[in-house]
Amino acid sequence: HPHSRPRHPGARTMLPLLLLLLPAAHGVAQLGYRPTLTPSPPLEGLTTASTFVLEQPRCVFQDYGNAVIWLVVALDQATSTFNNTAGPGTPETAFQSFPDPVRAYMTLNATLGSYPCPKPAGDITVLRVGSETSCAQDVTRPTCNGPLPGPGPYRVKFLALEGSNPVAETAWSAQIMLRTAKSPNSISTTGSGHSAGMIAITTILSILFAILLAGLVAMLVFWDSDSCSGSSTFSKPESVTVRRYNTHHVYDQPAARL
């Protein structure tokens, strides 16, 4: 058309590029599930100095039966920069390089069959993160579920991969802090009222025990000096003579005369 404007020369190349970026931007489904620490911990504690216990993502990835579900563990400040396309088992996500330079690693891969929905009766529905010590330094096992290197805070999410392509992910969890052992220097010796009461009771008992011990020693000394001075006389008991009687039976005696 004589009055139509000429098309911008870059528009022809930008359209295919946008079409390529569109699946990458919207290819990962954002699930509403948020990982949480289990409300009912197993025999061990909910958190330790190097581990924590998560609820399994049951009934979360039901539409992705062919996917492998991975757990992503990240430093709190690294969640916004985590790259979903960084594959598990690569130097970019290896546990042995966490937390520096790797800021987030991938571990605990499982298929959907490991998270059946609904939960069968008697099933254990928790994941202990940080429980493998044997592979912590083994670079040939970059997806090791090794002990956490510090108290955190950490955040986690579950990511489903079909092959090497991410297809679905959960939200990031809330901050997870691990326990820290108290330094002996940080333990107050004055303590609370309960500690002061215990100290007072211990002191009183010690004083009473000392008094009792002193009394026993004094009694022993008195008895020893008394026996050495001869003030106590011991009379020899009189000998008792027992007269011996011969018993005669009736048939040994002569018959009584009438």
Side-chain angles (χ1 to χ4, degrees):
H1 194 277
H3 298 286
S4 61
R5 294 183 179 178
R7 181 173 295 179
H8 192 278
R12 187 174 299 176
T13 58
M14 287 292 294
L15 184 60
L17 183 59
L18 290 174
L19 292 175
L20 287 174
L21 292 176
L22 192 61
H26 299 281
V28 181
Q30 303 295 315
L31 307 178
Y33 178 79
R34 184 183 297 273
T36 59
L37 296 177
T38 177
S40 53
L43 295 178
E44 298 182 35
L46 183 63
T47 60
T48 66
S50 60
T51 68
F52 56 89
V53 182
L54 286 177
E55 277 289 313
Q56 292 181 358
R58 299 291 181 103
C59 307
V60 176
F61 294 95
Q62 297 307 108
D63 297 333
Y64 305 92
N66 296 324
V68 177
I69 304 163
W70 290 85
L71 176 70
V72 182
V73 182
L75 297 176
D76 178 39
Q77 64 270 27
T79 55
S80 59
T81 58
F82 175 72
N83 180 12
N84 278 348
T85 62
T90 63
E92 192 176 352
T93 60
F95 168 80
Q96 287 77 18
S97 299
F98 183 79
D100 187 25
V102 170
R103 313 290 281 172
Y105 66 95
M106 299 175 68
T107 187
L108 290 176
N109 57 306
T111 60
L112 192 60
S114 300
Y115 303 133
C117 176
K119 178 184 81 69
D123 264 20
I124 298 176
T125 62
V126 298
L127 298 172
R128 180 166 286 277
V129 181
S131 61
E132 292 185 77
T133 57
S134 60
C135 58
Q137 304 298 326
D138 187 356
V139 294
T140 65
R141 295 184 58 188
T143 60
C144 175
N145 179 29
L148 280 302
Y154 303 101
R155 291 183 189 268
V156 299
K157 73 174 179 179
F158 291 99
L159 177 65
L161 302 179
E162 289 183 352
S164 59
N165 299 319
V167 293
E169 66 180 357
T170 67
W172 288 101
S173 69
Q175 289 185 352
I176 299 173
M177 292 292 299
L178 302 185
R179 295 184 181 182
T180 55
K182 283 188 176 182
S183 170
N185 296 330
S186 66
I187 300 175
S188 174
T189 55
T190 56
S192 59
H194 178 72
S195 300
M198 292 298 295
I199 293 173
I201 292 175
T202 303
T203 304
I204 293 173
L205 290 177
S206 300
I207 294 173
L208 292 177
F209 178 76
I211 294 173
L212 178 62
L213 184 62
L216 289 174
V217 171
M219 290 178 64
L220 289 174
V221 171
F222 174 76
W223 284 347
D224 185 63
S225 61
D226 194 38
S227 60
C228 292
S229 63
S231 58
S232 298
T233 58
F234 298 92
S235 58
K236 183 179 179 181
E238 296 182 359
S239 51
V240 179
T241 304
V242 180
R243 182 175 296 177
R244 186 176 179 180
Y245 294 91
N246 293 325
T247 305
H248 300 281
H249 295 285
V250 175
Y251 53 78
D252 287 341
Q253 296 178 357
R257 294 184 178 180
L258 297 177

